[in-house]
Amino acid sequence: MAEEIVNRVAQSKLQVFDLEDYYPVGKRAILDIKDWLWEELILKEKEFRSLADTHDWEQYKDAYVALNCSTDAIIPGWAYMLLVSKLQPYAKQVVVGTLEDLETSLYQSILSNLDVSPFQDKPVIIKGCSHKPVPQNAYLQAMLKIQPVAKSVMYGEACSAVPLYKKK
């Protein structure tokens, strides 16, 4: 007679926190303004405003948008503010930076409002591997949010967790 396999992880009080569960669904877009600059380096206000007025902003409807300039041009703050004013009716969120900066900003908003009471005085494992673009900063933010309430915090998978914190 074969022995029954017992899943001790499922029977434990271990709480698994998976950042992928909080990944905001939606289109991501990057708007690189280098092509809006003269020789990809100099912002000419009149031309820049004209391009902003004629750009198809509807394509960013319900999207998360990262604004950036991939050249070494110096972009005045008002330029990004002008673009945000055009994106405001369409985009869900806008940041200046890379797509990773955008993901970090999204997770920062989500984690700042996260109810961590289910993790109170329990061992927590912050799941490691992800199939979605979860930025490294999201793991740091999760640790900052969960550690004050958890009994212990680990990283990885239940079979190979790395201990990070244990309440004294």
Side-chain angles (χ1 to χ4, degrees):
M1 179 185 232
E3 270 189 55
E4 182 180 341
I5 298 173
V6 177
N7 185 340
R8 292 186 304 166
V9 173
Q11 293 176 341
S12 75
K13 292 183 178 185
L14 182 66
Q15 299 291 307
V16 176
F17 181 76
D18 188 351
L19 283 161
E20 278 192 337
D21 293 343
Y22 299 91
Y23 185 79
V25 177
K27 179 177 132 184
R28 271 52 170 184
I30 191 157
L31 175 55
D32 186 349
I33 63 168
K34 73 175 170 86
D35 297 329
W36 295 28
L37 308 176
W38 181 70
E39 295 188 5
E40 297 183 350
L41 284 175
I42 298 171
L43 186 146
K44 292 184 175 182
E45 183 177 352
K46 186 176 180 182
E47 289 83 358
F48 189 83
R49 285 182 180 276
S50 176
L51 287 166
D53 287 340
T54 59
H55 188 72
D56 175 21
W57 297 105
E58 183 101 14
Q59 66 181 304
Y60 304 103
K61 184 165 179 51
D62 297 325
Y64 300 103
V65 181
L67 300 173
N68 78 0
C69 181
S70 61
T71 65
D72 290 333
I74 298 171
I75 307 300
W78 66 261
Y80 289 119
M81 293 170 69
L82 176 67
L83 299 180
V84 167
S85 76
K86 303 292 185 180
L87 283 163
Q88 192 278 329
Y90 304 104
K92 287 183 180 180
Q93 187 164 334
V94 183
V95 300
V96 174
T98 63
L99 287 175
E100 184 172 348
D101 295 328
L102 176 63
E103 297 297 345
T104 297
S105 177
L106 293 172
Y107 271 104
Q108 190 170 18
S109 297
I110 291 164
L111 292 172
S112 69
N113 297 314
L114 181 69
D115 175 19
V116 291
S117 62
F119 306 117
Q120 187 72 46
D121 299 321
K122 294 192 175 137
V124 178
I125 185 164
I126 298 175
K127 190 172 178 201
C129 299
S130 62
H131 298 96
K132 296 176 181 165
V134 177
Q136 188 63 43
N137 278 321
Y139 291 96
L140 303 181
Q141 292 167 8
M143 184 70 183
L144 289 169
K145 188 76 174 185
I146 293 170
Q147 180 176 332
V149 299
K151 178 180 178 181
S152 64
V153 182
M154 296 167 279
Y155 171 80
E157 302 293 328
C159 62
S160 61
V162 177
L164 301 173
Y165 165 78
K166 188 165 189 161
K167 193 179 277 185
K168 293 186 173 35

